[in-house]
Structures are given as structure tokens and as C-alpha cells.
Amino acid sequence: MPELPEVETCRAGIEPYILGKRFRRLLIREARLRWPIAPELSLLLPGLCVLAVKRRGKYILLETEAGHVLLHLGMSGNLRIATAGQQVRKHDHADFEFTDGTLLRFNDQRRFGSLLWTAEPPEEHALLRDLGPEPLSESFNAAYLHHLARRRAAAVKLLLMDSRAVVGVGNIYASEALFAAGVHPGRPARDLTLAEWESTAGCVKSILRQAIAQGGTTLRDFVNEQGKPGYFQQQLGVYGRAGEACRRCGALIEQVRLGQRSSFYCPVCQPVAA
DNA sequence: CAACGGACCTGCCTGC
DNA sequence: TGCAGGCAGGTCCGTT
């Protein structure tokens, strides 16, 4: 479900409810996520304060005096602010309860998400250590991509979805950014010119910024901390639109499979040859 | 190194 | 109506 815009929507949404609050307890209903929730976390968390609510790639980090809670939403994960006594729903795997009564509830149908603890600086954690640059940072630019891709025969879309190359870009926004850039998703990454990387990097940034401004994309079930959907799906140019007319040229949008993921593109706006 | 397939899960939709 | 198969916003891990 969530790519960077949805995770950022979630982070920004929960921040005002939990920043500066003190954990009273952690209730774990189902510990079997991508990795099991460490049982010690229930003992360790009470009494600690949320000093910051940060994001790195698709991870949400809750900073405390003693370490960081690392949250990943996987494909179907979600964080909601619940009110006291609110009915527990299917797949509500964990509740963070604060001393003022605020409840942060983690729901994840497919259990690909994770809830971890690290006492070391989070950037040194095994899961964050090798992550590439943030797409909205200066270091994510054409020169970086051009150099990184010089020996990569794999499709450019797969490079954009490789978290060691850049974080936060998933299946929707990779297709959307390449459409905006006019680059065919299946082109070998090493074949793109510096000018094409210029366009691609710029489009990744602008698409992500627009999606964040719209509260993310809701295809099936993404909702923010209040249970409200995002609105970026109304601006999707190609994702999920196979057989429909390109909004720019009218040609029919095509769908191919790259790295076991559905990929969408306009055959006219995104020609195979540069 | 890079590339690929399989794995982890639940639920929904399609077609027989 | 049931059931098999495919698909879904992620990403780690083992093998070539």
C-alpha cells in the first residue's frame, strides 16, 4: 500500500497526536509480522517519551530517550489514532497507549509490515544502513543516477524501485514518474542519457511532492491517521489504466510485467528508443 | 557486483 | 456455489 507519500502522510498525521507524549504501554495482539515483534518491547517502552516522529524511506521512526521504534507498513499496513474504547478491528496487531490516553493503533492485513526496536543510531541499523538517498534531497540527482546506472542492464523502473538506489519510490510512483519523464519503464538503465536522468530525477521529485500534497494515493484501502483516503489517484497518468486513453496523446496505455510487478506506460509518450 | 525467483501473508476478483 | 488461480501499494534472502 504505502510508498513515500503515503508513509509521509501517515508520519505527519500522527506526529501532532504523539509528539512529546509518554508511552504507558504497548499491547501486542499479533506479534507475527515480517519479523516478530520483540516481547521485550512491552517492558522497555513504558515511561519513555516520543522526542521526534521521523521518516527514512518507507520507515517511520519514533525517537525516544533510549532508542528508536522502527515501523514499516509493508504492503497493507496502517497507523490510526484511535479513541478510548474504539472497537478493535481485524488485523489490529498492536496498540501504543500513551499516558494521556492517546492510542496509536497498528493494523496490517498482510503482515508484511514490521515493528522493531533499535538502541543504536537508526542509520546504523541493518535495515536502514544500505538505503539510498531520499528522493527529495539534493543528493538524488541526474549525475548520481547516471553514474549509478552505468553498468546496469536491468530496466530503469527496477532501478527506481531499488531501495539502495533511492528510497520511497514504489510501483505506482515509478510508473508515474517515468510517464511524466517520457521514459519507457523497460529501457536498460545504462542506456539513459544524462538529459534523460535529469528529466527522470525531476519527475520523481515533482510526482512525490504532488502526491504528498494530495495526502497520498488510495487505490483500495490507504487511509490517513483519521481514516480519510488520499486523493492523488485522480491524477494518475498511467498506473492501473491499461487499455485507457493516454491523457496527453490519446494512445492506449499498455501494461507489461517487469521484475514480477505490473508496469504501465504510454507507447507514444514513452518510446522504447530514445 | 548484478539479476532473478521465491518467500512471507490475507483478501478480492475472475473464470471454469 | 465452490474452487483454483492470479493479483495487490514491499522487500529480504538465497542462488546463479
Side-chain angles (χ1 to χ4, degrees):
Chain A
M1 174 211 301
E3 299 182 39
L4 188 148
E6 292 75 36
V7 176
E8 178 55 27
T9 296
C10 180
R11 187 208 64 76
I14 64 172
E15 183 175 41
Y17 292 91
I18 67 169
L19 184 62
K21 303 275 176 77
R22 190 178 300 277
F23 290 103
R24 177 187 283 154
R25 66 170 191 150
L26 171 63
L27 172 62
I28 301 167
R29 296 190 188 81
E30 174 56 84
R32 295 174 303 168
L33 304 183
R34 173 75 199 260
W35 289 281
I37 303 175
E40 312 89 86
L41 200 47
S42 300
L43 303 173
L44 197 152
L45 225 43
L48 296 176
C49 273
V50 177
L51 304 179
V53 182
K54 303 181 288 190
R55 181 187 58 72
R56 174 71 175 108
K58 294 174 187 164
Y59 286 89
I60 290 174
L61 293 77
L62 308 183
E63 183 183 352
T64 76
E65 306 90 312
H68 286 75
V69 175
L70 304 183
L71 289 159
H72 196 289
L73 304 178
M75 291 274 265
S76 55
N78 203 7
L79 288 169
R80 305 271 292 268
I81 299 297
T83 51
Q86 191 164 5
Q87 195 186 347
V88 172
R89 302 200 274 187
K90 201 168 185 181
H91 310 302
D92 279 343
H93 303 315
D95 282 357
F96 296 90
E97 193 185 323
F98 295 89
T99 53
D100 71 341
T102 298
L103 214 54
L104 180 66
R105 186 162 276 173
F106 179 80
N107 180 288
D108 185 7
Q109 174 194 111
R110 295 175 72 180
R111 288 195 274 123
F112 288 173
S114 45
L115 200 177
L116 302 165
W117 171 261
T118 181
E120 51 185 346
E123 63 274 15
E124 290 172 24
H125 189 278
L127 292 171
L128 304 188
R129 205 170 38 208
D130 300 323
L131 293 180
E134 288 288 330
L136 297 178
S137 71
E138 298 268 318
S139 52
F140 179 72
N141 57 43
Y144 164 76
L145 288 167
H146 189 60
H147 184 256
L148 183 72
R150 70 198 185 285
R151 281 187 247 290
R152 296 258 205 148
V156 54
K157 174 163 177 277
L158 298 184
L159 183 80
L160 290 182
M161 293 177 65
D162 179 349
S163 64
R164 288 164 308 178
V166 57
V167 296
V169 182
N171 205 34
I172 294 180
Y173 299 112
S175 275
E176 290 301 313
L178 289 169
F179 170 65
V183 172
H184 190 287
R187 297 240 332 260
R190 64 185 178 197
D191 291 354
L192 269 68
T193 63
L194 186 61
E196 287 174 320
W197 282 121
E198 203 75 66
S199 169
T200 299
C203 288
V204 165
K205 290 171 194 278
S206 65
I207 291 284
L208 293 178
R209 284 201 191 96
Q210 290 172 52
I212 291 169
Q214 303 272 314
T217 298
T218 299
L219 293 183
R220 270 164 286 280
D221 49 16
F222 172 72
V223 288
N224 69 11
E225 79 293 343
Q226 298 286 4
K228 304 274 176 59
Y231 293 99
F232 190 72
Q233 63 277 12
Q234 294 162 21
Q235 336 271 326
L236 294 177
V238 289
Y239 189 86
R241 299 192 66 240
E244 295 176 40
C246 172
R247 301 189 198 284
R248 192 188 293 154
C249 77
L252 299 188
I253 302 302
E254 294 184 6
Q255 177 172 0
V256 287
R257 210 130 173 103
L258 295 170
Q260 287 131 253
R261 310 302 297 276
S262 289
S263 309
F264 302 85
Y265 66 98
C266 169
V268 174
C269 298
Q270 298 166 270
V272 177

